[in-house]
Amino acid sequence: MIFVERSHLSVPDWFKSQKAITLKSEISNFYSSNSIELLAQRSLRENQNYRRMLSQVSRVPEVRSELKLLFNNKCAFCETSFSELFVAHFRPKSVYEWLAFEWENLMLCCRDCNNAQRDSFPINGLRGEVMSSIEELRKKEDYLLVDPCYDIPEEHISFNYNGEILSLTNKGEETIRTFELNRPSLVRGRRMRINEVENIVNRLRENFEINPTQATFDELALKISQIYKFPDQPFQGCVRAVFIMELDKLRRKLRNEVLQVNSDSLGKHVNHLTKIRKISSIKVENLLYMEDCEIQLNESDGSDWLMILGENGTGKSTLLKLLAINLAGEEKRRILRHGILSPKDLVKPGYSSGYIQIVFTGEPVITRKLIFNLDETWAGSADHPFDGNVLSYGPVRIVMKELNFDDIIQNQFNSFSCLLDMNMWLVEKYKSDMATYSAAVRCIRAMLPIEASVAQNFLLEPDENRLVFRNLHHEQNKIPLDSLSSGYRTVFSLVCDIFRKLDGKDESSLEGIVLLDEIDVHLHPRWKMRIVGQLKALFPSVQFITTAHDPLCLRGLNKQEIVVLNRNSNGVRVHSDNLPNPEGLRADQLLTSEFFGLSSTLDPEIEVIFSEYYSLLAKRAKGSADEQRIEEYKESLKQWGYMGNNRREQLMYRAIDLFLAEERILSTSELRQHAEDNNLMDKLRNIWNKKE
């Protein structure tokens, strides 16, 4: 980390634009027009314009280019030079919502530092008042992170020859821990950079050692200063600190001073610890009828979501259950009595064992392997519980008036393992812990499928022993929470259950892994379209692995966040290559895409005909009966308008049908090779000639 003079660059024009001015006015109005009670229950994220601009500001070309120029295309905190750098908020937008569009609060940050900080901004004492400027917050708050554009990093951190970063102050230590600046990959990178500089100055150092004069010292000092004064090079803070110490030693030697090495003066070593670990890959071998596969979870945009699609019986729930018992450990597997998977029933026929292996993000790499054996035993490296928060929910989520704090994955295996009764819990929290109550209520409000302009008229508060939405403009207009539909209550109970079991005081800072089977149950189509986006915004640091049967639940996901379990002649294949982008596709287009694989949304009978038609086309050796049946199916499909109305369309559909038929028996890579081996134009000409 090095000091970066921000005043050298003017504020980008985007922050002076009318849309930015309007947005800041809306932010100011939000805080000035709401009562203290209502502000405790509301979030700026309810404002649609705020949410939209929040996702856009980091992609504004002018903002990105100015930040790259300011930070020399390096991470502001660890100084790595990567092509993939993110626009991040130094003071997290979840904590300081009103600073989300302040130029001085934006930094250029690598993925690892961004993921490490998440929504953390430690301080001593109280936080500054809402709507305080950054300058005011610097004066009022005793903040514990080094601001590279305001603080002098050399006053708080130093480095040693091994490439490790050392703390000189409490602020330095907290900065190292928060951004995980002693990650093994960083230490290796700094050490390599130190070696590079040593190779450059080695000859001059040898000259000084042979002839220790002021001239040879000055020549060496000049060369070193030229190297560390280039701000665009990686790890310049480390190079500067290490070689300034080296020059100081040589200067003392030149003056015949006694060199006293005090290890404490170098700083305090801060051990690396990855605070948040998420699943980065899932590998499965010899599981029932599923083909061996490895699922890479999306890391291209820092997303923490994976949606698993597939027909009934393809193994979606089995996969979630295996993940749950892998993460829960041996003791939890032994305690579970209902719905637990039998090891022997999981093994693919013809094999004696199989396994599910989970690899996690962070350094050093952690792998958990759960082996299921034909002799009804479990084995592997997943006996101890995963050192992180894990929750698992099945498709049936019943709400009961009980508080079971120990039940973290049992609902996945036992439908009678109940969710939190939010009425009972929130009324108790209202009396004993108002901060937790307000945070939990913000979770509920974030999931309301109504516009913010309507939601802002209601305050959620206890009325005797139950919660009610009270209309602020009509005091007698009260809507009991338990009078809402089962869909509302189930979703509200789910988010409260997640909030409570992840031990959160602030919804945006919750961390963990949530496995959620059939996210779409009990939801109206309008809510299905919002549910993923709502949960992403509400729990930004929580990793969700979910299943669904409804195309509307793909809203808010990109194609890298989705895998499909396809049934074919060899079993079930996990498919994630070349999926379309779900954004912008209509529901019927999603249903007939690779995500759901329907040939038609009109009639199940047509779907059956298409399935049998493709199966016959895919056969390598067809008999006369097969050819006759194919012609019969083609005639039926032609009557319904599925074979084209002219030669051009017929040619196109014929080629498409051949491809889709082959897709049923070939993997994506095999299809690519098959396309290369069989010239497409030759195939089209052959089809055309047959038509003639």
Side-chain angles (χ1 to χ4, degrees):
M1 184 185 296
I2 58 175
F3 178 74
V4 176
E5 182 55 69
R6 202 170 196 121
S7 61
H8 288 169
L9 289 179
S10 58
V11 177
D13 289 340
W14 185 89
F15 295 94
K16 306 170 189 175
S17 66
Q18 187 58 49
K19 63 171 61 175
I21 293 172
T22 300
L23 182 58
K24 290 183 179 181
S25 176
E26 291 178 7
I27 291 173
S28 176
N29 184 62
F30 173 84
Y31 287 106
S32 62
S33 63
N34 284 293
S35 66
I36 295 177
E37 275 186 314
L38 195 53
L39 281 176
Q41 295 189 10
R42 295 193 64 196
S43 166
L44 259 172
R45 292 188 296 273
E46 294 179 19
N47 183 298
Q48 185 176 0
N49 189 32
Y50 178 88
R51 290 198 310 272
R52 183 174 62 253
M53 296 304 295
L54 204 57
S55 64
Q56 292 179 3
V57 66
S58 62
R59 298 197 294 267
V60 174
E62 181 190 9
V63 174
R64 290 187 62 85
S65 62
E66 289 297 296
L67 283 174
K68 287 184 176 181
L69 183 62
L70 178 66
F71 292 101
N72 296 287
N73 209 30
K74 297 190 299 182
C75 175
F77 305 103
C78 72
E79 285 197 89
T80 50
S81 298
F82 290 127
S83 58
E84 190 175 31
L85 292 167
F86 298 85
V87 176
H89 295 79
F90 179 61
R91 283 177 168 80
K93 57 184 179 293
S94 59
V95 182
Y96 299 86
E97 291 182 317
W98 66 95
L99 297 179
F101 303 98
E102 294 296 329
W103 167 244
E104 284 193 67
N105 195 40
L106 299 183
M107 305 278 182
L108 201 62
C109 189
C110 72
R111 177 192 308 283
D112 291 332
C113 286
N114 194 27
N115 287 343
Q117 184 193 15
R118 290 285 179 170
D119 297 284
S120 175
F121 195 80
I123 63 170
N124 280 326
L126 300 176
R127 297 197 185 276
E129 296 177 357
V130 169
M131 290 302 294
S132 296
S133 67
I134 291 178
E135 184 178 353
E136 290 170 336
L137 291 173
R138 285 168 176 163
K139 295 177 181 178
K140 294 178 181 178
E141 291 182 341
D142 182 12
Y143 61 97
L144 296 177
L145 297 184
V146 177
D147 183 345
C149 296
Y150 181 75
D151 300 307
I152 306 300
E154 291 89 343
E155 296 178 358
H156 303 281
I157 60 174
S158 185
F159 299 84
N160 62 23
Y161 275 95
N162 294 325
E164 297 167 315
I165 188 170
L166 310 173
S167 67
L168 302 176
T169 63
N170 289 337
K171 179 179 282 191
E173 181 175 351
E174 194 60 46
T175 301
I176 296 169
R177 293 192 192 282
T178 297
F179 293 100
E180 298 179 10
L181 295 179
N182 269 328
R183 302 190 294 271
S185 58
L186 283 180
V187 174
R188 289 193 299 270
R190 294 190 198 112
R191 182 60 203 165
M192 289 176 62
R193 180 62 179 149
I194 291 171
N195 290 340
E196 289 175 2
V197 176
E198 282 183 332
N199 291 334
I200 294 172
V201 303
N202 191 49
R203 182 182 60 83
L204 296 176
R205 192 204 311 250
E206 289 176 354
N207 288 344
F208 176 81
E209 295 290 351
I210 296 170
N211 183 24
T213 65
Q214 187 66 47
T216 55
F217 175 83
D218 290 343
E219 186 179 12
L220 175 61
L222 176 62
K223 186 63 176 178
I224 290 176
S225 65
Q226 289 174 341
I227 293 172
Y228 71 64
K229 284 184 178 178
F230 285 100
D232 59 330
Q233 294 298 309
F235 308 124
Q236 286 299 77
C238 174
V239 169
R240 183 182 302 171
V242 167
F243 284 94
I244 283 179
M245 285 190 296
E246 178 67 13
L247 285 176
D248 186 58
K249 292 178 184 178
L250 297 179
R251 185 182 294 107
R252 291 174 181 273
K253 181 177 181 179
L254 181 64
R255 297 173 181 174
N256 293 319
E257 295 177 4
V258 177
L259 183 62
Q260 294 180 342
V261 180
N262 181 359
S263 60
D264 292 337
S265 66
L266 298 178
K268 177 183 176 182
H269 184 269
V270 181
N271 291 324
H272 167 69
L273 175 65
T274 297
K275 302 187 297 295
I276 307 173
R277 289 191 182 268
K278 304 293 176 62
I279 297 175
S280 65
S281 71
I282 303 166
K283 187 175 183 179
V284 175
E285 286 197 7
N286 301 335
L287 171 62
L288 291 173
Y289 296 98
M290 186 178 293
E291 293 184 9
D292 296 346
C293 65
E294 184 169 4
I295 302 171
Q296 299 290 338
L297 274 70
N298 177 34
E299 293 188 354
S300 63
D301 63 354
S303 173
D304 287 328
W305 273 72
L306 177 68
M307 177 75 78
I308 305 173
L309 305 177
E311 296 181 33
N312 291 327
T314 53
K316 302 186 301 298
S317 296
T318 298
L319 202 52
L320 285 190
K321 288 181 177 181
L322 272 174
L323 288 172
I325 59 177
N326 181 314
L327 295 167
E330 190 273 335
E331 184 177 352
K332 196 68 178 179
R333 290 198 300 270
R334 188 163 36 82
I335 294 174
L336 286 171
R337 296 181 179 179
H338 300 282
I340 187 66
L341 302 171
S342 168
K344 72 173 183 178
D345 293 337
L346 294 170
V347 181
K348 182 181 292 185
Y351 293 86
S352 60
S353 67
Y355 69 83
I356 180 169
Q357 176 178 284
I358 304 174
V359 180
F360 297 88
T361 59
E363 298 180 83
V365 173
I366 292 179
T367 301
R368 294 177 64 91
K369 188 174 186 179
L370 179 64
I371 301 172
F372 37 90
N373 296 307
L374 206 56
D375 63 2
E376 280 286 15
T377 62
W378 300 96
S381 57
D383 284 347
H384 297 287
F386 171 62
D387 188 19
N389 296 316
V390 179
L391 301 178
S392 188
Y393 299 92
V396 180
R397 301 185 276 273
I398 301 172
V399 178
M400 294 289 286
K401 293 185 177 180
E402 59 181 34
L403 296 177
N404 183 0
F405 284 90
D406 297 324
D407 180 10
I408 58 172
I409 71 165
Q410 194 162 343
N411 179 260
Q412 178 73 55
F413 300 90
N414 179 9
S415 300
F416 294 99
S417 177
C418 306
L419 271 61
L420 164 74
D421 179 85
M422 55 189 166
N423 264 297
M424 177 180 175
W425 181 68
L426 283 174
V427 169
E428 186 273 327
K429 287 299 177 184
Y430 184 86
K431 299 173 182 177
S432 62
D433 187 348
M434 183 55 73
T436 299
Y437 171 81
S438 298
V441 170
R442 288 197 296 272
C443 292
I444 293 174
R445 296 180 69 97
M447 302 306 295
L448 286 170
I450 58 176
E451 297 301 325
S453 57
V454 177
Q456 67 182 5
N457 296 323
F458 292 88
L459 189 70
L460 187 59
E461 60 185 10
D463 183 12
E464 296 182 354
N465 289 321
R466 66 176 183 173
L467 292 170
V468 298
F469 280 105
R470 176 168 62 84
N471 193 316
L472 297 176
H473 304 295
H474 302 87
E475 292 293 325
Q476 301 305 315
N477 187 354
K478 298 180 180 180
I479 305 173
L481 198 60
D482 55 13
S483 71
L484 298 178
S485 71
S486 60
Y488 276 86
R489 296 199 308 274
T490 300
V491 172
F492 294 161
S493 293
L494 174 66
V495 295
C496 282
D497 201 75
I498 292 172
F499 175 82
R500 183 198 56 152
K501 289 178 179 175
L502 294 184
D503 300 322
K505 295 294 183 182
D506 182 355
E507 67 279 14
S508 61
S509 65
L510 297 182
E511 301 162 3
I513 299 170
V514 173
L515 310 175
L516 181 57
D517 203 1
E518 297 188 20
I519 191 176
D520 45 335
V521 294
H522 301 299
L523 301 182
H524 182 274
R526 189 182 304 278
W527 208 345
K528 290 177 182 178
M529 295 174 65
R530 298 182 178 187
I531 185 71
V532 169
Q534 288 176 320
L535 289 173
K536 276 188 171 185
L538 179 59
F539 302 125
S541 298
V542 175
Q543 183 176 43
F544 280 83
I545 300 179
T546 71
T547 70
H549 288 108
D550 197 299
L552 297 179
C553 291
L554 300 190
R555 299 290 185 237
L557 294 171
N558 61 56
K559 62 181 180 180
Q560 287 82 21
E561 297 172 310
I562 306 169
V563 297
V564 181
L565 305 187
N566 286 329
R567 186 180 285 109
N568 59 30
S569 58
N570 297 322
V572 175
R573 175 187 297 139
V574 178
H575 175 45
S576 60
D577 293 339
N578 297 325
L579 292 173
N581 190 342
E583 185 178 358
L585 294 182
R586 301 189 309 269
D588 62 308
Q589 292 174 321
L590 289 169
L591 286 170
T592 55
S593 70
E594 290 91 333
F595 293 125
F596 294 92
L598 298 185
S599 301
S600 165
T601 59
L602 298 178
D603 193 327
E605 181 183 348
I606 297 176
E607 189 66 30
V608 172
I609 290 177
F610 264 115
S611 180
E612 294 180 3
Y613 172 57
Y614 287 145
S615 296
L616 288 171
L617 283 179
K619 292 180 71 172
R620 293 290 184 239
K622 303 181 184 70
S624 58
D626 294 331
E627 296 289 358
Q628 181 180 348
R629 195 67 177 145
I630 287 174
E631 292 303 318
E632 291 175 359
Y633 284 141
K634 286 167 64 176
E635 190 61 34
S636 297
L637 293 170
K638 183 178 180 180
Q639 292 176 4
W640 288 316
Y642 285 100
M643 299 303 290
N645 297 315
N646 53 52
R647 279 188 170 183
R648 182 172 180 271
E649 290 182 0
Q650 291 165 7
L651 175 65
M652 178 181 69
Y653 283 129
R654 175 65 171 151
I656 291 172
D657 286 343
L658 288 173
F659 178 83
L660 293 176
E662 290 173 347
E663 189 180 37
R664 294 189 168 216
I665 59 173
L666 297 175
S667 67
T668 304
S669 59
E670 290 171 329
L671 276 171
R672 291 197 193 100
Q673 185 62 44
H674 193 63
E676 293 173 3
D677 295 341
N678 297 274
N679 186 280
L680 178 61
M681 290 306 298
D682 288 342
K683 181 172 290 187
L684 291 176
R685 289 190 189 99
N686 290 334
I687 295 171
W688 185 263
N689 290 334
K690 289 179 181 178
K691 283 296 209 178
E692 293 290 341

mmCIF file of all heavy atoms in Angstrom, residues 112 167-168 256 432 555-556 629 670:
data_model
loop_
_atom_site.group_PDB
_atom_site.id
_atom_site.type_symbol
_atom_site.label_atom_id
_atom_site.label_comp_id
_atom_site.label_asym_id
_atom_site.label_seq_id
_atom_site.Cartn_x
_atom_site.Cartn_y
_atom_site.Cartn_z
ATOM 1 N N ASP A 112 -9.729 -10.222 -4.397
ATOM 2 C CA ASP A 112 -9.443 -10.820 -3.090
ATOM 3 C C ASP A 112 -9.580 -9.798 -1.964
ATOM 4 O O ASP A 112 -10.120 -10.104 -0.897
ATOM 5 C CB ASP A 112 -8.044 -11.436 -3.086
ATOM 6 C CG ASP A 112 -7.960 -12.670 -3.970
ATOM 7 O OD1 ASP A 112 -8.998 -13.339 -4.150
ATOM 8 O OD2 ASP A 112 -6.864 -12.971 -4.478
ATOM 9 N N SER A 167 2.639 -4.774 11.024
ATOM 10 C CA SER A 167 1.865 -3.650 11.560
ATOM 11 C C SER A 167 2.727 -2.824 12.515
ATOM 12 O O SER A 167 3.494 -3.360 13.315
ATOM 13 C CB SER A 167 0.619 -4.147 12.288
ATOM 14 O OG SER A 167 0.968 -4.862 13.457
ATOM 15 N N LEU A 168 2.596 -1.516 12.403
ATOM 16 C CA LEU A 168 3.285 -0.593 13.305
ATOM 17 C C LEU A 168 2.322 0.017 14.307
ATOM 18 O O LEU A 168 2.745 0.546 15.334
ATOM 19 C CB LEU A 168 3.954 0.527 12.491
ATOM 20 C CG LEU A 168 4.974 0.080 11.435
ATOM 21 C CD1 LEU A 168 5.477 1.288 10.650
ATOM 22 C CD2 LEU A 168 6.132 -0.672 12.076
ATOM 23 N N ASN A 256 30.504 3.996 9.991
ATOM 24 C CA ASN A 256 31.102 3.197 11.062
ATOM 25 C C ASN A 256 30.265 3.221 12.333
ATOM 26 O O ASN A 256 30.792 3.178 13.446
ATOM 27 C CB ASN A 256 32.524 3.687 11.378
ATOM 28 C CG ASN A 256 33.477 3.437 10.230
ATOM 29 O OD1 ASN A 256 33.427 2.390 9.595
ATOM 30 N ND2 ASN A 256 34.331 4.422 9.951
ATOM 31 N N SER A 432 -35.991 -6.532 24.203
ATOM 32 C CA SER A 432 -34.658 -6.726 24.782
ATOM 33 C C SER A 432 -33.498 -6.205 23.929
ATOM 34 O O SER A 432 -32.430 -5.911 24.452
ATOM 35 C CB SER A 432 -34.422 -8.228 25.029
ATOM 36 O OG SER A 432 -34.464 -8.955 23.821
ATOM 37 N N ARG A 555 -34.519 -14.660 -13.175
ATOM 38 C CA ARG A 555 -34.339 -13.216 -13.189
ATOM 39 C C ARG A 555 -33.344 -12.831 -12.089
ATOM 40 O O ARG A 555 -33.477 -13.244 -10.945
ATOM 41 C CB ARG A 555 -35.661 -12.500 -12.956
ATOM 42 C CG ARG A 555 -36.724 -12.788 -14.000
ATOM 43 C CD ARG A 555 -36.366 -12.154 -15.332
ATOM 44 N NE ARG A 555 -37.435 -12.328 -16.320
ATOM 45 C CZ ARG A 555 -37.274 -12.910 -17.484
ATOM 46 N NH1 ARG A 555 -36.095 -13.403 -17.818
ATOM 47 N NH2 ARG A 555 -38.279 -13.008 -18.334
ATOM 48 N N GLY A 556 -32.367 -12.033 -12.456
ATOM 49 C CA GLY A 556 -31.356 -11.633 -11.481
ATOM 50 C C GLY A 556 -30.107 -12.484 -11.520
ATOM 51 O O GLY A 556 -29.149 -12.229 -10.794
ATOM 52 N N ARG A 629 -41.168 -44.662 -38.527
ATOM 53 C CA ARG A 629 -41.684 -43.922 -37.371
ATOM 54 C C ARG A 629 -41.238 -42.459 -37.422
ATOM 55 O O ARG A 629 -42.015 -41.563 -37.072
ATOM 56 C CB ARG A 629 -41.174 -44.584 -36.080
ATOM 57 C CG ARG A 629 -41.888 -44.158 -34.830
ATOM 58 C CD ARG A 629 -43.315 -44.634 -34.831
ATOM 59 N NE ARG A 629 -43.995 -44.284 -33.599
ATOM 60 C CZ ARG A 629 -45.263 -43.956 -33.521
ATOM 61 N NH1 ARG A 629 -46.009 -43.923 -34.617
ATOM 62 N NH2 ARG A 629 -45.826 -43.672 -32.369
ATOM 63 N N GLU A 670 -17.712 -32.856 -27.255
ATOM 64 C CA GLU A 670 -17.837 -33.826 -28.338
ATOM 65 C C GLU A 670 -18.602 -33.248 -29.519
ATOM 66 O O GLU A 670 -18.306 -33.529 -30.681
ATOM 67 C CB GLU A 670 -18.521 -35.094 -27.827
ATOM 68 C CG GLU A 670 -17.654 -35.909 -26.871
ATOM 69 C CD GLU A 670 -18.437 -37.029 -26.212
ATOM 70 O OE1 GLU A 670 -19.657 -36.856 -26.008
ATOM 71 O OE2 GLU A 670 -17.837 -38.063 -25.925
#
